[in-house]
Amino acid sequence: MCRWLAYTGEPLQPSTLILDAQQSLVKQSLNSQLGAETVNGDGFGLGWYPANEAAGGIPALFHSTEPAWNDENLRELAHAIESPLFFSHVRAAAGPPIQQTNCHPFRYQNWMFMHNGFLGDFLTMKRDLVLAVDPSLYPDIKGTTDSEVVFHLALTYGLMDDPIEAMRQAVRKVESVGHGLGVRFPMQGTIAISDGATIWTFRYSSQGRSRSLFHSVEIDTLREMYPEVERLNLFGRRARVVVSEPLNDLPGAFLEVPESTVAILHESGYQYEPFLEAA
Amino acid sequence: MCRWLAYTGEPLQPSTLILDAQQSLVKQSLNSQLGAETVNGDGFGLGWYPANEAAGGIPALFHSTEPAWNDENLRELAHAIESPLFFSHVRAAAGPPIQQTNCHPFRYQNWMFMHNGFLGDFLTMKRDLVLAVDPSLYPDIKGTTDSEVVFHLALTYGLMDDPIEAMRQAVRKVESVGHGLGVRFPMQGTIAISDGATIWTFRYSSQGRSRSLFHSVEIDTLREMYPEVERLNLFGRRARVVVSEPLNDLPGAFLEVPESTVAILHESGYQYEPFLEAA
Amino acid sequence: MCRWLAYTGEPLQPSTLILDAQQSLVKQSLNSQLGAETVNGDGFGLGWYPANEAAGGIPALFHSTEPAWNDENLRELAHAIESPLFFSHVRAAAGPPIQQTNCHPFRYQNWMFMHNGFLGDFLTMKRDLVLAVDPSLYPDIKGTTDSEVVFHLALTYGLMDDPIEAMRQAVRKVESVGHGLGVRFPMQGTIAISDGATIWTFRYSSQGRSRSLFHSVEIDTLREMYPEVERLNLFGRRARVVVSEPLNDLPGAFLEVPESTVAILHESGYQYEPFLEAA
Amino acid sequence: MCRWLAYTGEPLQPSTLILDAQQSLVKQSLNSQLGAETVNGDGFGLGWYPANEAAGGIPALFHSTEPAWNDENLRELAHAIESPLFFSHVRAAAGPPIQQTNCHPFRYQNWMFMHNGFLGDFLTMKRDLVLAVDPSLYPDIKGTTDSEVVFHLALTYGLMDDPIEAMRQAVRKVESVGHGLGVRFPMQGTIAISDGATIWTFRYSSQGRSRSLFHSVEIDTLREMYPEVERLNLFGRRARVVVSEPLNDLPGAFLEVPESTVAILHESGYQYEPFLEAA
């Protein structure tokens, strides 16, 4: 129901990927090629770990309910800042209203979270899922999306200690609550999580037919493949991006993340881990 | 934390009271005389029972996050419609974010609800109160205000059958949950409720020092008192209004609703009932 | 660059056409079939002559910068009112910013105006066109669109006395200014104008390849053609609509307005007049 | 009709002045002490020269139509960035609508401009003033404020070569046009202009009773005066601010800029020049 992008590497202007790329995230907002919806115009978000040390490792958020494609503030901001790790998200609402508190990414302390997809029959499951959130975390839920509830379930299950295992438990909880209430496919989507150093991205759905997800190949490889593409010089050697659909049509530039898999971006490269078997 | 106004009587353009009156609700939004805050600029709402029969007795809502004082759409709408019963509310947010789903009035079927005031230490009480809402009503909570939770508590306790008793139970629940969690004064405020025919207005606070509330005197009486005031000819004989602070400075035009009291507006006039003793 | 709809006939809830029709205007906003753009998500407007006599024949306007497809206020309003003559417009911005003052329809006294299309190289022509607007009308230009300038040119040339001749002069002025500045195709689009009783709709472009425009056939004819379509009973016998693209796929329900033509909707039916030969 | 603040010095988080100061700009938006209006809730703006060299000396702008006091994006941004020179402005609209294109500061290439005050009877003067703008600059006028017209007049008269003399000519033009049209006091206000290195601030009104304007004293002096005020350690030795009203109540911390004066902030300190005699 959305499209998203996560970048890590040398400090970069977000505009390079979300505005200027051939099939940039903002172009995906108006005309997605691989998304469940063509138009993702129900608000957007940008979350970035500032270079600014005064920020203390806490990511900054910019949320807007406007479509991304004509938003002047996004244009300004995406050029004015540089960040070594940022998330960006364009939304196609699947029920919860269009308001800033429903815009991704969400934040908890130094952690960010965003999601493309949905919980099946969320209003049926919502109360039980919210009850499973740790009472001390409950007041931190600011909006009304299924995604933010999943984030708080994962926090409840220890996201800050072991993000992959916490996400497994969160998804299993969604599926057990859903199946108990007669929801056939409770979980759908791709998710990105970061603590400011590592990015964990998940591709999973109860149905085994998950939303699309890709990651870039190593920039050195890409430069060898396409020595004539000058645009590649904009990126440092550690630049890596995970994104809902490829940012350009260069064959081989983006690889699909397999189903039921976690793709982890470290400073040293990508790494896959199996996530869960589809329910 | 807010100001509100409820009208019943002959069909009237809402602009008469919310824009054109000497101390209209929109003027109260920019410069309240009796409010806890001077400025009530965090959005507004207008809810009205349309003359239009096609609407089937369901009130229509217009919610905006803009300050009321310069909102063009409010100006247009408040002149273009006429309604025999409408609510209007200007908000000064006390925590929950500025978004349309947090704007009053709230609606459930043919019922409307609005509130000026707050629940003490709401984030502490929120989870317990939300759990007390009937699970079948839970998915209907669209925003994140304390006010909407009180509305759904009252719906849980039978608002549609006996609004006064249901509100008593809702307030007692707020107070018992609050006192259990160490909140000294859990409930504060004035509340208006309607089913499209009658308006019930409540003035109550746990502290016994409630937000201000007034109602107009009978229009015939007022015309006798002020035969020279031409503006009074705008109103029919059944025109009655309850409002957070008087809409003009005509002595005797508005009477204060006593503490811990329900003021009921029927077609035939006002009626008081005791509500609750302050906790 | 936009899609629009103009209705006249028995008082009707605008929702019938802009929300509920098979290919309603709001569906056209998200997925236009015949438009120059697929997405028309850069705000919308609704202008209606209220049944309310207190409004004095002045149309009311509701303008929003949000996409129409998820706007709650539009849903509420379009159900709550009934009007014998209304305009609605969804915008795909072609340069001028997304702001309420750039939303159609525009209003001058009891007149409304809306436009789908654009002036070629508008920023080049703008100063000369604005200078041609009567100085007494100049302060009434509230936004920054090409469309509003065309409206004020037509007002300058006597729109309120002879709308067709005034529009001819306005378009000729646009073309003479444009050609003088090297703009090949200065005028493009379809335009609707009303005084509250008659609707004039224009289809014209300098290039002779104008944006699409259709009008409904007489409702009696339609009921004979499709006796089994219950939805047709929602409409009175005088119901007529002009719209950028057909509101349903019933063959024969909508007829294309020819190029360079004015289609006039009276209470008694449609009438065509030639407009201008393409420049 | 507004309040503004201009900072130059060591790179600083704008939040230090616009959010955290005792009488910060955001506090002035809700409750101005010295302003012509108490409430400045009709949008705001932040313009900053990014540390980011990729920005090429062009300031970035963030404009919002929301009141500043509850805007989450402003809070995020004002903490996340650091800038050696920034402008911030809170607006109380005096006619022109609430839209992002009417939010200050305005920008032209590497120049920023903001204004507190108004042009007397602007709609009467507007056409003549706009005609005096160089036709090549005319298309750059994006909004509908008097302030942006003054900026473009000054650009027409050579702002980028000699800002003080260009502003003199712009104000004289406003006054001659105004007097020709019977406007008694055409010009009112305080203005800030920067090229990214120097800030020029102007205090002037035709009436000789101009909006308030203050500048900070040297930080070394302030630290000697108030060695116990720890907050002063947040600032570098070159930190200087010009602001509509003092940011705190420390006696001697802020000095009033005299009437009809230009206060210039260099890296080396303040400097005054006479501007114009009141007309």
Side-chain angles (χ1 to χ4, degrees):
Chain A
M1 322 305 258
C2 309
R3 303 275 84 183
W4 59 250
L5 174 157
Y7 169 85
T8 177
E10 289 80 1
L12 186 73
Q13 288 173 293
S15 55
T16 313
L17 300 176
I18 69 180
L19 294 169
D20 303 339
Q22 186 189 354
Q23 175 68 355
S24 70
L25 192 68
V26 166
K27 282 173 198 143
Q28 295 178 30
S29 75
L30 192 57
N31 188 14
S32 163
Q33 303 295 320
L34 303 180
E37 289 84 19
T38 302
V39 181
N40 297 274
D42 299 326
F44 66 87
L46 175 65
W48 74 101
Y49 293 90
N52 174 2
E53 290 195 5
I58 305 297
L61 300 180
F62 176 59
H63 286 160
S64 169
T65 60
E66 305 287 323
W69 55 77
N70 270 324
D71 193 277
E72 289 292 322
N73 286 324
L74 177 60
R75 263 157 228 284
E76 295 287 322
L77 189 57
H79 283 102
I81 61 174
E82 288 186 337
S83 167
L85 200 164
F86 59 85
F87 281 12
S88 190
H89 185 279
V90 292
R91 187 170 175 231
I98 317 302
Q99 51 196 27
Q100 286 185 20
T101 53
N102 286 351
C103 292
H104 306 228
F106 302 100
R107 175 180 62 196
Y108 184 79
Q109 296 180 13
N110 62 315
W111 290 75
M112 285 203 297
F113 176 101
M114 63 182 168
H115 175 211
N116 164 29
F118 61 95
L119 267 54
D121 214 346
F122 175 54
L123 287 184
T124 300
M125 296 197 284
K126 184 174 179 183
R127 189 170 184 274
D128 286 350
L129 295 178
V130 165
L131 288 186
V133 170
D134 190 285
S136 72
L137 290 166
Y138 175 83
D140 184 66
I141 300 178
K142 295 183 177 70
T144 57
T145 59
D146 46 4
S147 308
E148 195 184 12
V149 172
V150 173
F151 182 27
H152 283 78
L153 282 174
L155 286 164
T156 298
Y157 297 132
L159 178 79
M160 297 168 78
D161 293 322
D162 183 343
I164 296 176
E165 189 50 34
M167 276 300 301
R168 279 193 193 109
Q169 288 190 45
V171 169
R172 278 191 198 115
K173 180 71 184 178
V174 170
E175 293 189 327
S176 74
V177 164
H179 291 154
L181 293 165
V183 179
R184 192 166 170 207
F185 299 124
M187 181 71 198
Q188 168 59 267
T190 64
I191 284 173
I193 298 172
S194 182
D195 61 356
T198 301
I199 299 176
W200 295 265
T201 65
F202 303 79
R203 186 175 182 213
Y204 177 80
S205 58
S206 308
Q207 194 177 4
R209 298 173 57 181
S210 304
R211 294 290 184 262
S212 61
L213 192 66
F214 294 82
H215 70 77
S216 59
V217 304
E218 293 296 293
I219 199 80
D220 283 349
T221 309
L222 207 52
R223 279 199 261 259
E224 280 177 34
M225 291 165 68
Y226 298 102
E228 76 288 5
V229 177
E230 289 192 16
R231 187 176 153 75
L232 295 173
N233 297 324
L234 294 171
F235 302 99
R237 296 184 60 193
R238 289 181 288 119
R240 294 180 184 98
V241 62
V242 185
V243 61
S244 297
E245 54 191 83
L247 293 165
N248 58 50
D249 58 9
L250 295 178
F254 285 88
L255 301 178
E256 189 164 9
V257 175
E259 286 273 358
S260 303
T261 298
V262 191
I264 309 162
L265 282 74
H266 290 290
E267 195 159 305
S268 53
Y270 295 98
Q271 177 190 335
Y272 285 173
E273 273 197 36
F275 180 53
L276 270 183
E277 287 308 300
Chain B
M1 323 303 260
C2 309
R3 304 274 87 183
W4 60 250
L5 175 156
Y7 169 84
T8 177
E10 290 79 1
L12 185 74
Q13 288 172 293
S15 55
T16 313
L17 299 176
I18 69 180
L19 293 170
D20 302 339
Q22 185 188 358
Q23 176 67 358
S24 70
L25 192 68
V26 166
K27 281 173 198 142
Q28 294 179 30
S29 76
L30 192 57
N31 188 14
S32 162
Q33 302 295 321
L34 302 179
E37 290 84 19
T38 302
V39 181
N40 297 274
D42 298 327
F44 66 88
L46 174 66
W48 74 101
Y49 293 89
N52 174 1
E53 290 194 6
I58 305 297
L61 300 180
F62 176 58
H63 287 160
S64 169
T65 59
E66 305 288 321
W69 55 77
N70 272 324
D71 193 278
E72 288 294 323
N73 286 325
L74 178 59
R75 264 158 226 284
E76 295 287 323
L77 190 57
H79 283 102
I81 61 174
E82 288 186 336
S83 168
L85 199 164
F86 59 85
F87 281 13
S88 190
H89 184 278
V90 292
R91 186 170 176 232
I98 316 304
Q99 52 196 25
Q100 287 185 18
T101 52
N102 286 350
C103 292
H104 306 228
F106 302 100
R107 176 180 60 197
Y108 184 79
Q109 297 180 11
N110 62 315
W111 291 76
M112 285 203 296
F113 176 102
M114 63 182 170
H115 175 211
N116 163 30
F118 61 95
L119 267 53
D121 214 347
F122 175 54
L123 287 184
T124 300
M125 294 198 282
K126 183 175 180 183
R127 190 170 183 276
D128 287 350
L129 294 177
V130 165
L131 287 187
V133 170
D134 190 284
S136 71
L137 291 165
Y138 175 83
D140 184 67
I141 300 178
K142 296 184 177 68
T144 57
T145 60
D146 46 4
S147 308
E148 195 185 13
V149 173
V150 173
F151 182 28
H152 283 78
L153 282 174
L155 285 165
T156 298
Y157 297 132
L159 177 79
M160 297 167 79
D161 293 321
D162 183 344
I164 296 176
E165 188 52 32
M167 277 300 301
R168 279 193 194 108
Q169 287 191 46
V171 169
R172 278 191 198 115
K173 179 71 184 178
V174 170
E175 293 188 327
S176 75
V177 164
H179 293 153
L181 293 165
V183 179
R184 192 167 170 206
F185 298 125
M187 182 71 200
Q188 168 60 266
T190 65
I191 284 173
I193 298 172
S194 183
D195 61 356
T198 301
I199 299 175
W200 294 265
T201 65
F202 303 79
R203 187 177 182 212
Y204 177 80
S205 58
S206 308
Q207 195 178 3
R209 298 174 56 185
S210 304
R211 293 290 184 261
S212 61
L213 192 67
F214 294 82
H215 70 76
S216 58
V217 303
E218 294 296 294
I219 200 78
D220 283 349
T221 310
L222 207 52
R223 278 200 261 259
E224 280 177 34
M225 291 165 70
Y226 298 101
E228 75 288 3
V229 176
E230 290 193 15
R231 188 176 152 75
L232 294 174
N233 297 324
L234 294 171
F235 301 99
R237 296 184 61 193
R238 289 181 287 117
R240 295 179 184 97
V241 61
V242 185
V243 60
S244 297
E245 53 191 83
L247 292 165
N248 58 51
D249 58 8
L250 296 178
F254 286 88
L255 302 178
E256 190 166 7
V257 176
E259 286 273 359
S260 304
T261 298
V262 192
I264 308 162
L265 281 73
H266 291 290
E267 195 160 303
S268 54
Y270 296 97
Q271 177 190 335
Y272 284 175
E273 273 197 36
F275 180 53
L276 271 183
E277 287 308 298
Chain C
M1 322 303 257
C2 309
R3 303 274 86 183
W4 59 249
L5 175 156
Y7 169 85
T8 178
E10 290 79 1
L12 186 73
Q13 288 173 292
S15 56
T16 313
L17 300 175
I18 68 180
L19 294 170
D20 303 339
Q22 185 188 358
Q23 177 67 355
S24 70
L25 192 68
V26 166
K27 282 173 199 142
Q28 294 178 30
S29 76
L30 192 57
N31 188 12
S32 162
Q33 303 295 321
L34 302 180
E37 289 84 20
T38 301
V39 182
N40 296 275
D42 299 326
F44 66 88
L46 175 66
W48 73 101
Y49 293 89
N52 174 2
E53 289 195 6
I58 304 297
L61 300 180
F62 176 59
H63 287 160
S64 169
T65 59
E66 305 288 322
W69 56 78
N70 271 324
D71 193 277
E72 289 293 323
N73 286 324
L74 177 60
R75 262 158 228 285
E76 295 287 324
L77 190 57
H79 283 101
I81 61 173
E82 288 186 337
S83 167
L85 200 165
F86 58 86
F87 282 11
S88 190
H89 184 279
V90 292
R91 186 171 175 231
I98 317 303
Q99 51 196 25
Q100 287 186 17
T101 53
N102 286 350
C103 292
H104 306 228
F106 302 100
R107 176 180 62 197
Y108 184 78
Q109 298 180 10
N110 62 316
W111 290 75
M112 285 203 296
F113 175 102
M114 63 182 169
H115 175 210
N116 163 29
F118 61 95
L119 267 53
D121 214 347
F122 175 53
L123 287 184
T124 300
M125 295 198 283
K126 183 175 180 183
R127 189 171 184 275
D128 286 350
L129 295 178
V130 165
L131 287 187
V133 170
D134 190 285
S136 71
L137 290 165
Y138 175 84
D140 184 67
I141 300 178
K142 295 184 178 68
T144 57
T145 59
D146 46 4
S147 308
E148 196 184 11
V149 173
V150 173
F151 182 27
H152 283 78
L153 282 174
L155 286 165
T156 298
Y157 297 131
L159 178 78
M160 297 167 79
D161 293 322
D162 182 345
I164 297 176
E165 188 50 34
M167 276 301 301
R168 280 194 193 107
Q169 287 191 45
V171 169
R172 279 192 198 114
K173 180 70 184 178
V174 169
E175 292 188 327
S176 74
V177 164
H179 292 153
L181 292 165
V183 179
R184 191 166 170 208
F185 299 124
M187 182 71 199
Q188 167 60 267
T190 65
I191 283 173
I193 298 172
S194 182
D195 62 355
T198 301
I199 299 175
W200 295 264
T201 65
F202 303 78
R203 187 175 181 212
Y204 178 80
S205 58
S206 308
Q207 195 176 2
R209 297 174 57 183
S210 304
R211 294 292 185 259
S212 60
L213 193 66
F214 294 81
H215 71 77
S216 59
V217 303
E218 294 297 294
I219 200 80
D220 283 348
T221 309
L222 207 52
R223 278 199 261 259
E224 281 177 35
M225 291 165 67
Y226 297 102
E228 75 288 4
V229 177
E230 290 192 16
R231 189 177 151 74
L232 295 174
N233 297 324
L234 294 171
F235 301 99
R237 295 184 60 193
R238 289 182 287 118
R240 294 180 185 96
V241 62
V242 185
V243 60
S244 297
E245 55 190 82
L247 293 165
N248 57 51
D249 58 9
L250 295 179
F254 286 88
L255 301 178
E256 190 165 9
V257 175
E259 286 273 358
S260 303
T261 298
V262 192
I264 308 162
L265 282 73
H266 291 289
E267 196 160 302
S268 54
Y270 295 97
Q271 176 189 337
Y272 284 174
E273 273 196 35
F275 180 53
L276 269 184
E277 287 308 300
Chain D
M1 321 304 257
C2 309
R3 303 275 85 183
W4 60 250
L5 175 155
Y7 170 84
T8 178
E10 290 80 0
L12 186 73
Q13 288 173 292
S15 55
T16 313
L17 300 175
I18 69 180
L19 294 169
D20 303 338
Q22 185 189 356
Q23 176 68 357
S24 70
L25 192 67
V26 166
K27 282 173 198 143
Q28 294 178 31
S29 75
L30 192 57
N31 189 13
S32 163
Q33 303 295 319
L34 303 179
E37 289 83 20
T38 302
V39 182
N40 298 272
D42 299 326
F44 66 87
L46 174 66
W48 73 101
Y49 293 90
N52 175 1
E53 290 195 5
I58 305 297
L61 300 179
F62 176 58
H63 286 159
S64 169
T65 59
E66 304 288 322
W69 55 77
N70 271 325
D71 192 278
E72 288 294 322
N73 286 325
L74 177 60
R75 262 158 229 285
E76 294 287 322
L77 190 56
H79 283 102
I81 61 174
E82 288 185 337
S83 167
L85 199 163
F86 59 86
F87 281 13
S88 189
H89 185 279
V90 292
R91 185 169 176 233
I98 317 303
Q99 52 197 24
Q100 287 186 18
T101 52
N102 286 350
C103 292
H104 306 228
F106 303 100
R107 175 180 61 197
Y108 184 79
Q109 296 180 11
N110 62 315
W111 291 75
M112 284 204 297
F113 175 103
M114 62 181 170
H115 175 211
N116 163 30
F118 61 94
L119 266 53
D121 214 347
F122 174 53
L123 287 184
T124 299
M125 294 198 283
K126 184 175 179 183
R127 189 171 183 275
D128 287 350
L129 294 178
V130 165
L131 288 186
V133 170
D134 190 285
S136 71
L137 291 165
Y138 175 83
D140 185 66
I141 300 178
K142 296 184 177 68
T144 57
T145 59
D146 46 4
S147 308
E148 196 185 11
V149 172
V150 173
F151 182 27
H152 283 79
L153 283 174
L155 285 165
T156 298
Y157 297 131
L159 177 79
M160 297 168 79
D161 293 322
D162 183 344
I164 297 176
E165 188 51 33
M167 276 300 301
R168 279 193 192 108
Q169 287 191 45
V171 169
R172 278 192 197 115
K173 180 71 185 178
V174 169
E175 293 188 328
S176 75
V177 164
H179 292 153
L181 293 165
V183 179
R184 192 167 170 207
F185 299 124
M187 182 71 200
Q188 168 60 266
T190 65
I191 284 172
I193 298 172
S194 182
D195 62 356
T198 301
I199 298 175
W200 294 265
T201 65
F202 303 79
R203 186 177 182 212
Y204 177 80
S205 58
S206 307
Q207 194 177 4
R209 298 173 56 183
S210 304
R211 294 290 185 262
S212 60
L213 193 66
F214 294 82
H215 70 77
S216 59
V217 303
E218 293 296 293
I219 200 78
D220 283 349
T221 309
L222 207 53
R223 279 199 261 259
E224 280 177 35
M225 292 165 69
Y226 298 102
E228 76 287 3
V229 177
E230 289 193 16
R231 187 176 152 75
L232 295 174
N233 297 324
L234 295 172
F235 301 98
R237 297 184 58 192
R238 290 182 285 117
R240 296 179 183 97
V241 61
V242 185
V243 60
S244 297
E245 53 191 84
L247 292 164
N248 58 50
D249 58 8
L250 295 178
F254 286 88
L255 302 178
E256 190 165 8
V257 176
E259 286 272 359
S260 303
T261 298
V262 192
I264 307 161
L265 281 74
H266 291 290
E267 195 159 302
S268 54
Y270 295 98
Q271 177 190 335
Y272 284 175
E273 273 196 35
F275 180 52
L276 271 183
E277 287 308 300

